[in-house]
Amino acid sequence: MTSKRAKQPEGIVPLAGRPKGAGARWGSVEFQLKRHDSPHGQVTALSMMKDEGAYVIEWVAHHLAVGFSDLVVYTNDCSDCTDDMLIRLEELGLCHHRRNVIPEGIRPQPSALNYAQEEPVVQQSDWVMVFDADEFLSIRYGDGTLDSLIAATKARGANGIVVTWRIFGSGGVVDWSHAPVTEQYLWAAPQEWNKGWGVKTLFTFSADKWKLGIHRPKMKTKWHETAFPDEVKWLNGSGREMEDYFKFRGWRSITRTVGYDWVQLNHYAVKSVDSYAIRKMRGNVNNKADKYNSDYWSLQDRNEVRDDTMLRYTKQRNEIIVQLLQDPVLNRLHHAAIARVEGHLAELRQTEAYHQLVADLAKASDVPISQIVAKPPQARDKEKIAALMSDVEKRRGAKAKMERHAVPKEPIEAVPMGSYRSGRIDLSQDVTAEIYPNHSMKLPSDRRVFTDSALALIQSGKFERGLARRMPQVLAEQAKVLEIGSAVGFLAGHCANIRPDLSLYLQEDNPVLRQMLAVVCALSNRTFNDSFVVMEQGLGSDPVVGALALIAALHPDALLLSDSQLGTEVLQKLLPMLPAPVPKQIFLYGRLLEQHHARLPEIDDVLATLGYVPDYGFDANIARGFRRCAPPDPEDPS
């Protein structure tokens, strides 16, 4: 495909706030709502849409609220008013609409990206990110805007951030509604579900160096053997530096690179049953045959964990929507699009195909996440991939591999992976689970309970290896140990087996994990006795009160905290209230660390005021250990 770069029309006088490369239509109608003036220059969201008229207003309003200065949207063959709405938004100075004239043999998305490569607005942008119409950026960092996210990225010397998908399901919603997508659907796949780890990339764009791509840009070959690859520094969604290989290829996060602490990309691929029916009978942007079938629904309709982070944008997004709909043209087009969807849906509901689809999707929704199979279109051919790799990729890849192997590491347990399934665990359906020895315990490879990453470790005998190796070594002699959040009892059981001098008291609020605790101990011949006790007392409605009651009853020498209910706010209240004599050792790990690790450094200061210092040499992704020293003397002027 060939395309000529569009020229800035002659005679156009640049206006204040006018984006670089804007066409003659941009801002030709005076409007109260103005383009965001980003401190980071021209920050552009690039997307492709087809018949998205009912959703355009929310998508635009959300990404204006997030802080994009420019939105460039390509459309092709729209049968609703999607293109007309985007044209009006361009006239109002809030978007750039472009036609995607698709050459024969080219799919719509690649076609649009080829045009975008030559588009003046995109070429003159400082930061670019490619979106689909069902993707919404969700920023946890700072004030939730791109202004703060990009500032943090720059502060780390980086020029890009790789944002991982979070798959959001229907949440049980059947009927179509014009309510905001980001408010209707608040249930998602667990963060550790690696089948949902596709990425999109926000990066500093140079048309000379990068070829735009759906998931990430491709570095042009002529730059591979130069110093440019060393200038590329991309972070993951938790602000950690991406591995070197991702500068050249890859479209998914892996265990070593996934992260959600700073930012994620909410992917609303299915929405309600009605929305799915409409899309299935309309086609899709990539012309994939039979994409919207029941298997796709099972894969994308994930509702295991509630995530309402998006609600932070509600007020500002709604204010923008109100302003947008004050334009009479946009208002008319928006409500015409909604009426068209509702009319089309009324027709669909009269067909047998619609009712059969609803029945099929209901069955597909019942498929447990542990039974979802997401196979790639074709098997991964390592030899073919190696043949396509440039010499510089091979050299850098071999160097990175040698560096990883040179430093002994524990098996991958890094946050936010976790060992246990998020949300409600259902044991009602029987499964066949093989038993594997892990250290001094035995564990079932039960997919209902353990995450995929944990199952791989269980099957190799390396489950929670960092904890299992280190904890028995560091607990004090003859210590009375209280573990709040024992899960299936693996760590406590192993410590009891290795250290018979210890007295261990296990507490777990989750009834399913308590049930599995009994199973694991029975499999491992770990008997309950006076020195290995499962506490009946729970944390109750107030985890501070519940935890203090447990601690006051036992006065443990070592306090092991793993329950995710003991978040940062809870610990800030709980720790200063510890009854005397206070524990000599405190450890934070497990589900507590997985869910709250981003803010746990705040607890260091709290513990320091109580006379605790970091100790014991755990990897920070596995555990945080603290030893009690003599408390500071308030009368000592030094």
Side-chain angles (χ1 to χ4, degrees), residues 383-412:
E383 293 184 2
K384 184 178 179 180
I385 293 173
L388 292 172
M389 292 174 65
S390 65
D391 289 340
V392 69
E393 285 181 75
K394 293 176 182 178
R395 290 198 303 271
R396 297 173 78 105
K399 179 182 177 183
K401 186 175 182 180
M402 288 179 60
E403 290 174 349
R404 287 199 305 271
H405 289 176
V407 180
K409 291 187 177 180
E410 303 294 345
I412 298 301

Short mmCIF file of all heavy atoms in Angstrom, two decimals, residues 383-412:
data_model
loop_
_atom_site.label_atom_id
_atom_site.label_comp_id
_atom_site.label_asym_id
_atom_site.label_seq_id
_atom_site.Cartn_x
_atom_site.Cartn_y
_atom_site.Cartn_z
N GLU A 383 11.96 -21.95 15.53
CA GLU A 383 12.94 -21.82 14.45
C GLU A 383 12.56 -20.68 13.49
O GLU A 383 13.41 -19.92 13.05
CB GLU A 383 13.05 -23.13 13.69
CG GLU A 383 13.66 -24.26 14.52
CD GLU A 383 13.84 -25.52 13.70
OE1 GLU A 383 13.52 -25.50 12.49
OE2 GLU A 383 14.30 -26.53 14.27
N LYS A 384 11.25 -20.58 13.21
CA LYS A 384 10.80 -19.51 12.32
C LYS A 384 11.02 -18.15 12.96
O LYS A 384 11.46 -17.20 12.31
CB LYS A 384 9.32 -19.71 11.99
CG LYS A 384 8.77 -18.69 11.00
CD LYS A 384 7.31 -18.98 10.67
CE LYS A 384 6.77 -17.95 9.69
NZ LYS A 384 5.34 -18.22 9.37
N ILE A 385 10.72 -18.05 14.26
CA ILE A 385 10.94 -16.80 14.98
C ILE A 385 12.41 -16.43 14.97
O ILE A 385 12.79 -15.28 14.72
CB ILE A 385 10.41 -16.90 16.41
CG1 ILE A 385 8.88 -17.03 16.39
CG2 ILE A 385 10.82 -15.68 17.24
CD1 ILE A 385 8.28 -17.31 17.75
N ALA A 386 13.27 -17.42 15.23
CA ALA A 386 14.71 -17.16 15.24
C ALA A 386 15.20 -16.69 13.87
O ALA A 386 16.08 -15.82 13.77
CB ALA A 386 15.46 -18.43 15.66
N ALA A 387 14.62 -17.25 12.79
CA ALA A 387 15.03 -16.85 11.45
C ALA A 387 14.64 -15.41 11.15
O ALA A 387 15.33 -14.71 10.40
CB ALA A 387 14.40 -17.80 10.42
N LEU A 388 13.54 -14.95 11.76
CA LEU A 388 13.08 -13.59 11.52
C LEU A 388 13.83 -12.56 12.37
O LEU A 388 13.82 -11.37 12.08
CB LEU A 388 11.58 -13.48 11.82
CG LEU A 388 10.65 -14.23 10.87
CD1 LEU A 388 9.23 -14.21 11.40
CD2 LEU A 388 10.71 -13.64 9.47
N MET A 389 14.45 -13.02 13.43
CA MET A 389 15.13 -12.09 14.33
C MET A 389 16.40 -11.53 13.69
O MET A 389 17.15 -12.24 13.03
CB MET A 389 15.49 -12.79 15.65
CG MET A 389 14.31 -13.17 16.50
SD MET A 389 14.76 -14.14 17.95
CE MET A 389 15.76 -12.97 18.86
N SER A 390 16.63 -10.27 13.90
CA SER A 390 17.87 -9.67 13.42
C SER A 390 19.03 -10.11 14.30
O SER A 390 18.84 -10.61 15.41
CB SER A 390 17.74 -8.14 13.45
OG SER A 390 17.62 -7.69 14.80
N ASP A 391 20.24 -9.90 13.79
CA ASP A 391 21.43 -10.29 14.56
C ASP A 391 21.50 -9.55 15.89
O ASP A 391 21.88 -10.11 16.91
CB ASP A 391 22.69 -10.01 13.75
CG ASP A 391 22.84 -10.97 12.57
OD1 ASP A 391 22.21 -12.05 12.62
OD2 ASP A 391 23.56 -10.64 11.62
N VAL A 392 21.10 -8.26 15.87
CA VAL A 392 21.19 -7.49 17.11
C VAL A 392 20.20 -8.02 18.14
O VAL A 392 20.49 -8.07 19.33
CB VAL A 392 20.96 -5.99 16.83
CG1 VAL A 392 19.52 -5.70 16.42
CG2 VAL A 392 21.31 -5.15 18.05
N GLU A 393 19.01 -8.46 17.69
CA GLU A 393 18.05 -9.06 18.62
C GLU A 393 18.64 -10.32 19.25
O GLU A 393 18.51 -10.55 20.45
CB GLU A 393 16.76 -9.44 17.89
CG GLU A 393 15.87 -8.27 17.53
CD GLU A 393 14.61 -8.75 16.85
OE1 GLU A 393 13.74 -9.29 17.55
OE2 GLU A 393 14.50 -8.61 15.62
N LYS A 394 19.27 -11.15 18.41
CA LYS A 394 19.84 -12.40 18.92
C LYS A 394 20.94 -12.12 19.94
O LYS A 394 21.02 -12.78 20.98
CB LYS A 394 20.37 -13.24 17.76
CG LYS A 394 19.27 -13.75 16.82
CD LYS A 394 19.86 -14.48 15.62
CE LYS A 394 18.77 -14.93 14.66
NZ LYS A 394 19.32 -15.60 13.46
N ARG A 395 21.80 -11.17 19.60
CA ARG A 395 22.90 -10.85 20.52
C ARG A 395 22.38 -10.31 21.84
O ARG A 395 22.80 -10.73 22.92
CB ARG A 395 23.85 -9.83 19.87
CG ARG A 395 24.66 -10.37 18.72
CD ARG A 395 25.85 -9.46 18.44
NE ARG A 395 25.46 -8.09 18.17
CZ ARG A 395 25.17 -7.61 16.97
NH1 ARG A 395 25.22 -8.41 15.92
NH2 ARG A 395 24.84 -6.34 16.80
N ARG A 396 21.45 -9.37 21.75
CA ARG A 396 20.92 -8.76 22.98
C ARG A 396 20.12 -9.79 23.77
O ARG A 396 20.13 -9.78 25.00
CB ARG A 396 20.08 -7.53 22.63
CG ARG A 396 20.88 -6.42 21.97
CD ARG A 396 19.98 -5.29 21.50
NE ARG A 396 19.60 -4.45 22.63
CZ ARG A 396 20.09 -3.24 22.87
NH1 ARG A 396 21.01 -2.74 22.06
NH2 ARG A 396 19.68 -2.53 23.90
N GLY A 397 19.37 -10.64 23.06
CA GLY A 397 18.60 -11.67 23.76
C GLY A 397 19.49 -12.65 24.48
O GLY A 397 19.21 -13.04 25.62
N ALA A 398 20.59 -13.07 23.83
CA ALA A 398 21.53 -14.00 24.47
C ALA A 398 22.19 -13.36 25.68
O ALA A 398 22.37 -14.01 26.73
CB ALA A 398 22.58 -14.44 23.46
N LYS A 399 22.52 -12.06 25.56
CA LYS A 399 23.14 -11.36 26.69
C LYS A 399 22.18 -11.27 27.87
O LYS A 399 22.56 -11.52 29.02
CB LYS A 399 23.58 -9.97 26.25
CG LYS A 399 24.23 -9.15 27.37
CD LYS A 399 24.59 -7.75 26.89
CE LYS A 399 25.17 -6.93 28.03
NZ LYS A 399 25.47 -5.54 27.60
N ALA A 400 20.93 -10.91 27.59
CA ALA A 400 19.95 -10.80 28.67
C ALA A 400 19.72 -12.14 29.35
O ALA A 400 19.58 -12.23 30.57
CB ALA A 400 18.63 -10.25 28.11
N LYS A 401 19.70 -13.21 28.55
CA LYS A 401 19.49 -14.55 29.11
C LYS A 401 20.66 -14.93 30.01
O LYS A 401 20.47 -15.49 31.10
CB LYS A 401 19.33 -15.56 27.97
CG LYS A 401 18.97 -16.96 28.44
CD LYS A 401 18.70 -17.86 27.25
CE LYS A 401 18.29 -19.25 27.72
NZ LYS A 401 18.02 -20.14 26.55
N MET A 402 21.88 -14.64 29.56
CA MET A 402 23.06 -14.95 30.38
C MET A 402 23.02 -14.16 31.69
O MET A 402 23.34 -14.70 32.75
CB MET A 402 24.34 -14.61 29.61
CG MET A 402 24.65 -15.57 28.47
SD MET A 402 26.15 -15.10 27.59
CE MET A 402 27.35 -15.19 28.90
N GLU A 403 22.60 -12.89 31.62
CA GLU A 403 22.54 -12.07 32.83
C GLU A 403 21.50 -12.61 33.81
O GLU A 403 21.71 -12.61 35.02
CB GLU A 403 22.24 -10.62 32.46
CG GLU A 403 23.40 -9.93 31.75
CD GLU A 403 23.03 -8.54 31.26
OE1 GLU A 403 21.81 -8.21 31.28
OE2 GLU A 403 23.93 -7.79 30.84
N ARG A 404 20.37 -13.07 33.27
CA ARG A 404 19.33 -13.64 34.15
C ARG A 404 19.83 -14.90 34.82
O ARG A 404 19.60 -15.14 36.01
CB ARG A 404 18.06 -13.94 33.36
CG ARG A 404 17.27 -12.72 32.95
CD ARG A 404 15.83 -13.09 32.60
NE ARG A 404 15.74 -14.11 31.58
CZ ARG A 404 15.71 -13.88 30.28
NH1 ARG A 404 15.76 -12.63 29.85
NH2 ARG A 404 15.59 -14.86 29.42
N HIS A 405 20.52 -15.74 34.05
CA HIS A 405 20.99 -17.01 34.60
C HIS A 405 22.17 -16.83 35.54
O HIS A 405 22.44 -17.71 36.37
CB HIS A 405 21.37 -17.95 33.46
CG HIS A 405 20.17 -18.45 32.69
ND1 HIS A 405 20.27 -19.25 31.57
CD2 HIS A 405 18.84 -18.26 32.89
CE1 HIS A 405 19.06 -19.53 31.12
NE2 HIS A 405 18.19 -18.94 31.91
N ALA A 406 22.90 -15.72 35.39
CA ALA A 406 24.08 -15.49 36.23
C ALA A 406 23.69 -15.18 37.67
O ALA A 406 24.48 -15.37 38.59
CB ALA A 406 24.93 -14.36 35.66
N VAL A 407 22.48 -14.68 37.86
CA VAL A 407 22.03 -14.32 39.20
C VAL A 407 21.01 -15.35 39.66
O VAL A 407 19.94 -15.48 39.05
CB VAL A 407 21.39 -12.92 39.21
CG1 VAL A 407 20.92 -12.56 40.61
CG2 VAL A 407 22.38 -11.89 38.70
N PRO A 408 21.30 -16.12 40.71
CA PRO A 408 20.34 -17.12 41.19
C PRO A 408 19.03 -16.44 41.60
O PRO A 408 19.03 -15.45 42.31
CB PRO A 408 21.04 -17.74 42.40
CG PRO A 408 22.48 -17.42 42.23
CD PRO A 408 22.53 -16.11 41.51
N LYS A 409 17.92 -16.98 41.11
CA LYS A 409 16.62 -16.40 41.43
C LYS A 409 15.66 -17.49 41.89
O LYS A 409 15.78 -18.65 41.51
CB LYS A 409 16.02 -15.69 40.21
CG LYS A 409 16.78 -14.43 39.82
CD LYS A 409 16.04 -13.70 38.72
CE LYS A 409 16.74 -12.39 38.37
NZ LYS A 409 16.03 -11.66 37.30
N GLU A 410 14.74 -17.09 42.72
CA GLU A 410 13.68 -17.99 43.12
C GLU A 410 12.71 -18.17 41.94
O GLU A 410 12.71 -17.38 41.01
CB GLU A 410 12.92 -17.40 44.32
CG GLU A 410 13.80 -17.10 45.52
CD GLU A 410 14.39 -18.35 46.14
OE1 GLU A 410 13.90 -19.45 45.83
OE2 GLU A 410 15.34 -18.23 46.93
N PRO A 411 11.89 -19.20 41.95
CA PRO A 411 10.89 -19.34 40.89
C PRO A 411 9.97 -18.11 40.87
O PRO A 411 9.83 -17.43 41.88
CB PRO A 411 10.11 -20.60 41.29
CG PRO A 411 10.36 -20.76 42.74
CD PRO A 411 11.73 -20.22 42.99
N ILE A 412 9.39 -17.88 39.74
CA ILE A 412 8.61 -16.66 39.55
C ILE A 412 7.40 -16.65 40.48
O ILE A 412 6.47 -17.41 40.34
CB ILE A 412 8.16 -16.54 38.09
CG1 ILE A 412 9.38 -16.44 37.18
CG2 ILE A 412 7.27 -15.33 37.92
CD1 ILE A 412 10.29 -15.27 37.46
#
